[in-house]
Amino acid sequence: MRSNTTTRPFIVLLAFLLLGWSHTVAQTLNKPIPADNPNMAGNSPWTAVCASADFNEYYVKFTWNTPLVNSNNAFILELSDANGSFANPVELASDNTKNTNFNFDFRFELPTTTRGEGYKLRVRSTSPAKTSPASDAFSMYYIDFKSSLLISPNGNGNIPTGGTIELCDGNSATLAVHNVDNAETYRYNWYRSGTPLAEKGHSITVDQAGIYMVEVDYGSVCSGSANTLSNDIEITTGASLGIAINEPSKTALCSGESQTLEANIMGQGLTYTWFKNGEAITGPVVDAHTYTVDASVPGFEGDYAVEIDGDGTCLERSSAIAITNAGDFTVTRSNEANMVLLPGQTKTLSVATTAATPVYQWYKDGALLTGQTANTIDIDEPGVYNARVSQSGGACASTAIDSEPTSVVVPVSFEINIAYTTEYEDCKETSVVLGIDKINALDSEGAKTDVTSVLLNSFAYQWKKDGVIVNGATANTISLTEISENGVYDLEAVLDTYNPTSNELNVLLLVNEDLAIEASSTVICNDSESITISTTTDLSAATFDWMKDGVNLNRATEILNITETGKYQLVVYRNGCPLPSNEVNISPLDDSLITLDSPDTVVFPSGGSKTVTASGGTSYQWFDMNNTELSDSASVTFTEVGSYLLVAKIDNCEITKQISVALQDTFKVPNVITVNGDGINDQWIIPNTYSRNKDINVLIYNAKGEVILNVKDYQNNWPESTTAFSKQNMVFYYKIKTDKEVLKQGTITIIR
């Protein structure tokens, strides 16, 4: 409930009578947050989205505040791009049935083109037009490719015999994915002999020996479920044959000419692949030691090279030969693309060229202008003008190039559009700058020509607020920083006999004031405890609301006493705008409120030590197994193995945690286990630096690349006694990783 409720109806009524319409209070749309899926039992709100054709159903929770939206309103859920930008948002869902529901869930499906780490969500209302803040950034991937990748040289599909490529010293090879449609739209993880590489594209140029593999990068969370690891290609090195391209008779060609390039090494059963600007333009073909460049094909210019390969021969690429266009020159328009002729005016158009001996000819609306053969022309009529430039001599005298056109109009009138030139939303900003977005010249047919860059500084301007001149505001922009400047703005402009008036923009700035609340405690220890939330801001003459989880509590008290958990906030209304305070989150007493920067089992090497730090509490005490206090700060350093106790307080609440300290295992991750039931080496036991840790993910793959184990907090219990193995000896692959990096990977051989 709000204070001053007896005077408010009169104020609102008076505002409607005087102005016809007014924002007494503006809606506040809160950012959407992940929600659990009501169609799946026992799940929690998602932290990342890993969608596929098999599963693509997710929910977000959305809340908003009074007053009510209009009856024709719809709430629209939008998705940013992978960088969090909403320049071109994607609509995920729309709902016009929740206009009296202040807390509801959106269901959405992830678009099939979504792949990235920085996606954000927001909600937009249509009536009134409002936009919520953007959500936190999330990892979101639609996993549409779930098979093993295939890689080959230059992506040509020909996997080398034995999976090996021998490179000549100083040469390189390009490996590329060849079994994925639109392969360049994905990100990838490349590996050399198990070591991650920096390259993220669908191809990689390699010059070092090693075994190369690649997988689709579906992010740190989603990649493990796709199983896209490719075949491997081994790169070795050998001695060079000295491949080169014989010097051609000419390298500068005119249109219609051709030139044959020839390799200096022929025969011997070699395959030849020809390249232009580093990209393969032929496949590897036996004895194809020549290539003909056709200058009648647009874009024939470039750097050409040849690559050879064959049995007993290392892969080697020649140096490039540059083929150029002998008739190549440029023509540049020197004036604006769009020009305006006012009554009685003359304009000069001009072009510039790099042609050595140019010949000029001007055209208007496609028709030749007799006698206009200079690089400039004076015009006094509307139309579309361009110059055609040709060479009067040289190797390629027949070449002609047209300049970019210039559109010249005589306006009947002008149209001026103004916009917010800084970020703006009603009741969200404390300042804003308004300025000219576009000036259009309109001809007699109503066609518009953008002349902003030409005439922006030619008009005289006058800004108005609510129809009244703003003194001194005669620039093409206006900066507003005070709530006293709230109102409806437009811009009048004058040029010669033209006097256009712009569109109108409403400005509703938020008061530049900090509103803070604080609670006597942030944790409720038991059902009988009461917590007080208050503010130092004077509320005696204010209109305000106390909110819990985005819902109005209808409390008129300046101090709020609460006994329930939730997220609390104070909203004070200043000049029709809601001024929200910080949020105070009141939580139930829960062991998870106290966190350690180490697993519950602390591990360090013999003779070493480990410092553990707790967070989330207001005070701490650490005790050893003899109940001797070791520290009363947030941190303690362990030097001996054993069991320890942490007693942490959150205000008046107390939480205890047991910590075990053990010496670090010194053995390595095993690559062989003998599953014969003798109780020795029957299970894959990994060091305690990796096992029993909730932050470390252990994955095991079979020979087909299928995930057969994917767990965190691995308990050294694979394989279970009931696991059956079809062969005497079987090889599996493992990865030990965190959410950010792979810590260890290799093979496990099972011997029965």
Side-chain angles (χ1 to χ4, degrees), residues 147-151 177 179 189-191 212-216 227-233:
S147 303
S148 295
L149 296 174
L150 294 176
I151 56 174
V177 174
N179 67 325
N189 297 321
W190 286 91
Y191 301 93
Y212 290 82
M213 304 175 73
V214 68
E215 65 181 357
V216 178
N227 303 320
T228 61
L229 198 63
S230 72
N231 60 301
D232 60 75
I233 291 182

Side-chain angles (χ1 to χ4, degrees), residues 85 198 307 334 391 541 567 687:
S85 170
E307 185 176 85
S334 302
Q391 292 265 29
K567 190 175 292 183

Side-chain angles (χ1 to χ4, degrees), residues 119-408:
Y119 284 96
K120 296 182 179 181
L121 298 162
R122 72 180 184 187
V123 175
R124 178 169 57 84
S125 64
T126 60
S127 182
K130 300 285 182 182
T131 304
S132 77
S135 72
D136 297 338
F138 293 103
S139 173
M140 293 187 176
Y141 290 87
Y142 186 90
I143 304 173
D144 54 346
F145 188 87
K146 302 171 69 174
S147 303
S148 295
L149 296 174
L150 294 176
I151 56 174
S152 56
N154 302 307
N156 59 26
N158 297 319
I159 298 175
T161 303
T164 300
I165 297 174
E166 184 180 14
L167 286 181
C168 295
D169 292 336
N171 276 258
S172 62
T174 298
L175 306 179
V177 174
H178 69 253
N179 67 325
V180 180
D181 293 335
N182 302 313
E184 68 281 356
T185 65
Y186 294 81
R187 282 170 56 89
Y188 299 84
N189 297 321
W190 286 91
Y191 301 93
R192 180 178 63 245
S193 301
T195 300
L197 303 176
E199 178 59 51
K200 290 293 183 180
H202 72 290
S203 64
I204 186 172
T205 299
V206 299
D207 57 9
Q208 295 184 42
I211 299 174
Y212 290 82
M213 304 175 73
V214 68
E215 65 181 357
V216 178
D217 180 3
Y218 284 125
S220 59
V221 178
C222 303
S223 289
S225 60
N227 303 320
T228 61
L229 198 63
S230 72
N231 60 301
D232 60 75
I233 291 182
E234 183 176 7
I235 300 295
T236 61
T237 57
S240 168
L241 291 180
I243 185 65
I245 298 176
N246 294 325
E247 187 68 27
S249 59
K250 62 190 316 187
T251 58
L253 307 180
C254 294
S255 178
E257 293 183 330
S258 63
Q259 176 64 50
T260 297
L261 305 179
E262 182 180 60
N264 68 332
I265 299 175
M266 298 173 242
Q268 305 179 36
L270 299 175
T271 63
Y272 297 78
T273 303
W274 287 88
F275 290 79
K276 176 186 171 187
N277 297 330
E279 299 291 332
I281 51 177
T282 73
V285 180
V286 175
D287 292 335
H289 62 277
T290 63
Y291 180 81
T292 299
V293 180
D294 184 356
S296 64
V297 177
F300 70 89
E301 310 93 327
D303 295 332
Y304 290 81
V306 66
E307 185 176 85
I308 59 171
D309 196 10
D311 291 339
T313 303
C314 57
L315 186 71
E316 183 178 10
R317 189 181 303 183
S318 72
S319 297
I321 293 286
I323 302 296
T324 61
N325 187 339
D328 192 23
F329 62 91
T330 62
V331 177
T332 306
R333 181 186 60 213
S334 302
N335 50 264
E336 299 286 344
N338 300 308
M339 302 185 73
V340 174
L341 275 176
L342 299 180
Q345 274 190 330
T346 298
K347 295 283 187 179
T348 299
L349 312 182
S350 64
V351 295
T353 182
T354 59
T357 54
V359 175
Y360 301 93
Q361 177 60 60
W362 285 90
Y363 292 80
K364 173 179 176 288
D365 299 327
L368 184 146
L369 294 174
T370 303
Q372 299 296 335
T373 56
N375 72 314
T376 64
I377 183 174
D378 294 328
I379 55 107
D380 58 7
E381 295 181 356
V384 178
Y385 294 81
N386 72 278
R388 179 167 296 167
V389 181
S390 58
Q391 292 265 29
S392 63
C396 309
S398 61
T399 302
I401 299 176
D402 286 344
S403 71
E404 293 179 309
T406 299
S407 178
V408 181

Side-chain angles (χ1 to χ4, degrees), residues 409-413 441-448:
V409 298
V410 175
V412 172
S413 62
L442 280 68
D443 63 18
S444 58
E445 301 297 325
K448 298 179 180 181

